[in-house]
Amino acid sequence: MSPTLNLSREDMRALGYRVIDMLVEHFETLPRKPVTRKADRPTLEARLREALPEHGSNALEILDQLQRDVFSSIMHTDHPRFFAFVPSPSNFVSVMADALAAGFNVFAGTWLEASGPAQIELVTIDWLRQACGLPDSAGGLFVSGGSMANMTALAVARHVKLGNRIEGAVVYFSDQTHSSIERGLRVLGFQNDQLRKIQSDGCFLLDLSALEHAIEADRAAGRVPFCVGANAGTTNTGAIDPLLALVDYCHQEELWLHVDGAYGAAAVFCERGQALLDGLGRVDSLSLDPHKWLFQPYEIGCVLVREERWLKGAFHILPEYLEDIEGKEGEVNFCDRGIQLTRGFRALKLWMSLKVFGQSRFREAVNRGFEMAEVAEAALRELSNWEVVTPAQMGIVTFRCAPEGLPPEELNWLSRELVDEMIADGFAMVSSTVLRGWTVLRMCTINPRTTETDVRGTIKRLDDMSKRLLQLL
Ligand SMILES: Cc1ncc(COP(=O)(O)O)c(C=O)c1O
């Protein structure tokens, strides 16, 4: 038997065509499929546990097994009625781009090994830079997602502001900030007493006066405030921290301003988003996740910093076995800009889909996310027992079923039960979060394939479920 691990042309074609057929079928039938499908561990153990096979088997049969036993147990985050967490409404063009990037096995770490892809990455990052209004001096990097983008940005902040000496340094962010900021800071060596989680105001925004007080108090105590983390669309409610005021304040106080726009910064692709995110172009660093509201399959996040050279300053190391990659003026080695040396050609999917659909269709697709949240809010306001907790903003609305007279613990119970009912039912998926101690439901409507009927149908379903649950009390 040959050790080459090659397939014949015919077998490659048969496997490839079958994979494409499976994908086309997935895209075509998705709206009619259940959104939620979760198997329990014993079932999956029984289906999939086996010893490492000594001998191979037929690839097409393995595809059948995958379809039957694996893909049957995923929640479809790209389904038009998946409104939980942050959906990832991918697109077929980008899926094909990912296949090409894997097929050509592009090593996107160095110019020497992938000059063409590096140029595509430069161009695509520049499109995002321009869309966000950052200056020409800015640069960036594609990473696995928002968590990695946030950590990369914070590592750059630590390097530029502190020369990596973190003792006594303090970082500030609101209690609505995504946990990846805290996790990133932990990985970067910050202790809990170096993190100030500022209580957000009544609209879940970073409270400027509380921020100023915390910074003054830390300075008075001899500590070194150096970085503020702000949100361009919180995961909970879509709230946007007061960016313009923060830009001015941080500039005046010589603090680094990092904005987590992993969820919301993509809104700059439409006019409404641009207006809401005024000031974004003046921040020191920004995270933006194309695998969320820019419709890419996982994994693609992006970090942008105001001065491109800061990335290299923070990450560049040249070991002797890589001296061959140091090239000519203008050549960019993306491995110098972040943590990964070996990295895939993530930019391709975003570049290719932006070229195929054009900015105009992305603009409409992003704008639709805003509209569908407004449809959800309007539908909820028509119902008697339901309360809108935070209005539609940036494609997110939070709400709860709150019949008069129900005690707090039963209200919270009801919201949690409704999520469980949704998971069991499969028609749609809505998740919960906790706001000021209240468990509430949350819909994130950024899938451009979501229809008004999907939104209204989901709310009707929730209402019917709530009526059944209320009878149990
Ligand atoms: C605001 C925000 N920041 C960061 C993240 C983390 O992004 P990722 O899951 O891509 O690591 C998320 C994820 O939902 C998010 O909503």
Side-chain angles (χ1 to χ4, degrees):
M1 259 190 293
S2 157
T4 59
L5 303 184
N6 275 343
L7 297 182
S8 68
R9 267 172 188 265
E10 295 68 41
D11 286 349
M12 280 196 277
R13 289 218 161 87
L15 176 57
Y17 292 156
R18 186 67 177 277
V19 168
I20 298 293
D21 284 343
M22 280 169 73
L23 292 174
V24 172
E25 189 65 13
H26 168 72
F27 272 80
E28 277 294 301
T29 58
L30 189 56
R32 298 188 292 284
K33 282 186 188 163
V35 179
T36 58
R37 277 184 306 181
K38 185 174 83 160
D40 57 28
R41 180 70 187 268
T43 308
L44 290 171
E45 282 285 335
R47 273 190 215 159
L48 295 166
R49 174 73 58 193
E50 62 177 327
L52 174 62
E54 177 62 20
H55 299 291
S57 43
N58 183 290
L60 299 185
E61 282 168 20
I62 296 172
L63 286 184
D64 288 340
Q65 184 197 10
L66 264 178
Q67 186 83 60
R68 189 183 59 238
D69 296 339
V70 180
F71 294 143
S72 56
S73 301
I74 48 177
M75 200 179 269
H76 295 296
T77 64
D78 46 359
H79 194 292
R81 287 189 303 279
F82 180 88
F83 301 111
F85 315 115
V86 178
S88 177
S90 161
N91 76 89
F92 191 75
V93 171
S94 296
V95 171
M96 292 298 96
D98 256 357
L100 286 168
F104 281 89
N105 204 20
V106 175
F107 179 97
T110 67
W111 190 272
L112 176 69
E113 284 161 282
S115 48
Q119 186 61 35
I120 294 286
E121 184 154 353
L122 286 172
V123 168
T124 314
I125 284 172
D126 211 49
W127 288 345
L128 295 182
R129 175 193 71 74
Q130 287 173 38
C132 295
L134 282 144
D136 290 349
S137 59
L141 178 78
F142 286 115
V143 292
S144 56
S147 303
M148 192 51 91
N150 282 334
M151 194 171 83
T152 306
L154 293 166
V156 176
R158 183 184 64 168
H159 181 81
V160 174
K161 281 282 173 200
L162 303 171
N164 294 325
R165 283 179 294 278
I166 64 171
E167 208 179 309
V170 187
V171 188
Y172 305 79
F173 47 90
S174 87
D175 59 10
Q176 295 300 300
T177 301
H178 192 268
S179 56
S180 58
I181 294 276
E182 195 172 329
R183 185 187 286 148
L185 289 165
R186 199 193 291 174
V187 173
L188 293 171
F190 291 89
Q191 304 298 312
N192 284 343
D193 62 4
Q194 295 177 278
L195 316 185
R196 297 282 174 276
K197 207 179 269 190
I198 313 275
Q199 193 182 346
S200 52
D201 69 10
C203 297
F204 301 100
L205 303 177
L206 180 58
D207 183 331
L208 277 177
S209 64
L211 173 70
E212 286 174 27
H213 280 124
I215 289 175
E216 277 164 25
D218 279 326
R219 284 204 174 123
R223 288 182 282 264
V224 186
F226 88 102
C227 175
V228 175
N231 293 291
T234 61
T235 319
N236 270 342
T237 65
I240 302 169
D241 288 332
L243 297 179
L244 284 170
L246 280 166
V247 165
D248 289 339
Y249 175 71
C250 289
H251 189 69
Q252 172 198 312
E253 297 294 322
E254 296 186 1
L255 298 163
W256 183 281
L257 179 59
H258 170 66
V259 170
D260 180 359
Y263 168 67
V268 292
F269 272 75
C270 75
E271 277 156 23
R272 277 216 248 187
Q274 264 165 27
L276 289 167
L277 295 169
D278 197 11
L280 203 59
R282 291 169 57 208
V283 306
D284 292 304
S285 57
L286 170 67
S287 301
L288 184 165
D289 260 5
H291 66 200
K292 296 186 169 75
W293 209 350
L294 283 182
F295 319 113
Q296 302 304 306
Y298 305 122
E299 302 178 350
I300 180 169
C302 181
V303 55
L304 296 167
V305 297
R306 195 156 52 79
E307 295 291 334
E308 186 181 87
R309 65 190 156 81
W310 287 339
L311 286 166
K312 196 165 175 180
F315 291 105
H316 180 243
I317 294 179
L318 183 65
E320 66 283 4
Y321 42 82
L322 285 183
E323 279 178 11
D324 300 338
I325 71 167
E326 284 293 275
K328 301 198 173 58
E329 183 67 20
E331 296 187 356
V332 176
N333 293 317
F334 279 101
C335 67
D336 291 341
R337 293 191 178 188
I339 292 162
Q340 279 186 284
L341 168 57
T342 301
R343 54 199 296 282
F345 188 13
R346 291 193 178 97
L348 180 62
K349 51 187 163 188
L350 183 56
W351 178 82
M352 198 163 148
S353 53
L354 282 168
K355 274 179 69 81
V356 168
F357 296 114
Q359 200 183 159
S360 57
R361 291 190 51 200
F362 270 74
R363 186 178 303 126
E364 283 163 28
V366 171
N367 192 51
R368 195 174 170 80
F370 279 89
E371 288 170 358
M372 287 301 111
E374 284 156 7
V375 168
E377 182 185 339
L380 286 159
R381 291 200 191 279
E382 285 162 19
L383 298 172
S384 53
N385 276 343
W386 292 78
E387 176 186 300
V388 172
V389 178
T390 57
Q393 54 183 343
M394 298 279 278
I396 296 176
V397 59
T398 66
F399 55 98
R400 62 179 178 168
C401 180
E404 250 183 68
L406 216 61
E409 61 279 10
E410 287 183 4
L411 285 174
N412 286 346
W413 170 85
L414 186 55
S415 291
R416 283 192 301 271
E417 280 300 306
L418 283 168
V419 174
D420 288 347
E421 292 259 326
M422 282 261 132
I423 295 171
D425 176 63
F427 176 75
M429 181 62 196
V430 166
S431 54
S432 73
T433 189
V434 178
L435 296 175
R436 306 264 181 266
W438 295 106
T439 304
V440 301
L441 298 175
R442 178 182 159 285
M443 280 174 82
C444 181
T445 59
I446 60 172
N447 189 328
R449 294 175 288 276
T450 297
T451 62
E452 210 170 311
T453 313
D454 287 325
V455 172
R456 288 188 173 274
T458 300
I459 288 168
K460 165 92 175 59
R461 202 86 156 195
L462 282 167
D463 193 37
D464 291 345
M465 285 171 177
S466 73
K467 286 179 182 144
R468 280 198 304 278
L469 286 166
L470 284 169
Q471 279 171 3
L472 301 176
L473 290 173

